Amino acid sequence: MKLLKSKTDQIRGRYNRIAFLYNSLEAPMEYLRFRNWRNRLTKMIRGPSTLEVGVGTGKNLPYYPLEVDVTAIDFSPKMLSYAKKSAFKLDFDVKFHLMDVQQLQFPDKSFDTVFGTFVFCSVPDPLAGLRELRRVCKPDGKLLLLEHIRPHNYFMGLLFDAMNPIVVRIMGANINRRTIDNIQKVGWKITKDVNLGNNIVHLIEATP
Ligand SMILES: C[S@@+](CC[C@H](N)C(=O)[O-])C[C@H]1O[C@@H](n2cnc3c(N)ncnc32)[C@H](O)[C@@H]1O
């Protein structure tokens, strides 16, 4: 528990540190790929009540369907401050909370859709986070994720394993997580798994 807490503090610190640069660092990929993927995933949201975890600087906010009631959390105060600014600019009423997905402060079965993009690469204990999402999702609700995962190709997998410590140190994100397996391990049933590129980025839909 103590180890997880210090790991959590460490990753939170990295996101606080890069928050001011985050959108600029991702700008090329955002323009080339991410915005289309965000658009595609957010179209799959079924409301009214939606929880976005790891909202970051709020990059999904412009793509949400109009009719949804959005609650958004992040454990980095700095990232969250940019998301709040983005919501203000968009005149979008979002309920923001500084919160850890590994220990959500919401009652069981609260949300119709639970959702995140590029989050489970950095959650220190991804199984705990995915379990919490399943707890707060309504029985007829769904999970939507956009995640990059460890490549299936044998040599690419080894390469990503070798590079992972450096990427974690700089960005706080792991590039070799087996997120599809993790989702299933905590009991979610995958209903859609779309390979968006090189078997690295996947769009995932699952039910509790
Ligand atoms: C790679 S960024 C993605 C941000 C945003 N979802 C996007 O698509 O641009 C990962 C985000 O997840 C947040 N995060 C990581 N672990 C978390 C946790 N345990 N609880 C809440 N937020 C977390 C980080 O602070 C960061 O804002």
Side-chain angles (χ1 to χ4, degrees):
M1 201 64 194
K2 211 170 162 194
L3 186 67
L4 180 63
K5 190 177 174 317
S6 70
K7 192 88 197 144
T8 299
D9 289 343
Q10 201 180 55
I11 302 297
R12 182 191 293 112
R14 289 194 185 141
Y15 278 104
N16 278 336
R17 196 178 64 202
I18 63 166
F20 77 103
L21 264 181
Y22 188 79
N23 287 0
S24 313
L25 285 175
E26 288 210 335
M29 277 307 286
E30 192 65 44
Y31 181 75
L32 291 173
R33 311 299 284 275
F34 293 173
R35 59 186 182 147
N36 292 334
W37 296 343
R38 294 183 197 283
N39 203 10
R40 184 165 170 183
L41 191 74
T42 48
K43 279 205 168 71
M44 295 164 71
I45 290 173
R46 292 291 169 269
S49 55
T50 301
L51 171 67
E52 179 170 354
V53 296
V55 62
T57 55
K59 286 185 174 195
N60 293 312
L61 300 182
Y63 303 97
Y64 269 94
L66 288 175
E67 68 279 11
V68 290
D69 174 19
V70 183
T71 301
I73 69 139
D74 203 289
F75 75 167
S76 154
K78 290 270 169 63
M79 295 292 274
L80 203 59
S81 71
Y82 285 95
K84 285 179 183 168
K85 278 182 205 152
S86 166
F88 181 76
K89 276 191 203 148
L90 293 164
D91 194 19
F92 189 1
D93 186 16
V94 178
K95 297 176 205 80
F96 288 107
H97 299 274
L98 185 63
M99 202 183 285
D100 186 341
V101 68
Q102 301 163 118
Q103 287 175 299
L104 291 173
Q105 311 295 310
F106 303 113
D108 297 358
K109 303 174 188 164
S110 299
F111 299 98
D112 296 295
T113 299
V114 292
F115 156 79
T117 56
F118 308 114
V119 174
F120 282 92
C121 51
S122 52
V123 175
D125 181 347
L127 292 179
L130 288 162
R131 209 173 280 125
E132 275 293 84
L133 283 184
R134 188 157 173 261
R135 180 182 68 73
V136 302
C137 185
K138 292 182 185 173
D140 58 349
K142 63 176 168 180
L143 168 71
L144 293 174
L145 292 175
L146 206 54
E147 290 290 338
H148 56 82
I149 61 168
R150 186 181 188 276
H152 297 317
N153 175 280
Y154 181 77
F155 293 104
M156 288 285 281
L158 291 181
L159 179 67
F160 274 48
D161 288 343
M163 285 172 7
N164 193 54
I166 303 163
V167 182
V168 176
R169 182 157 282 272
I170 300 170
M171 301 286 291
N174 292 269
I175 53 172
N176 63 349
R177 286 263 168 98
R178 297 174 198 265
T179 301
I180 310 268
D181 297 344
N182 289 343
I183 292 168
Q184 290 169 315
K185 263 188 203 161
V186 302
W188 289 101
K189 288 162 211 68
I190 295 189
T191 48
K192 193 173 273 181
D193 174 8
V194 186
N195 167 18
L196 293 174
N198 299 329
N199 246 321
I200 294 175
V201 182
H202 283 238
L203 180 156
I204 304 146
E205 180 189 70
T207 53

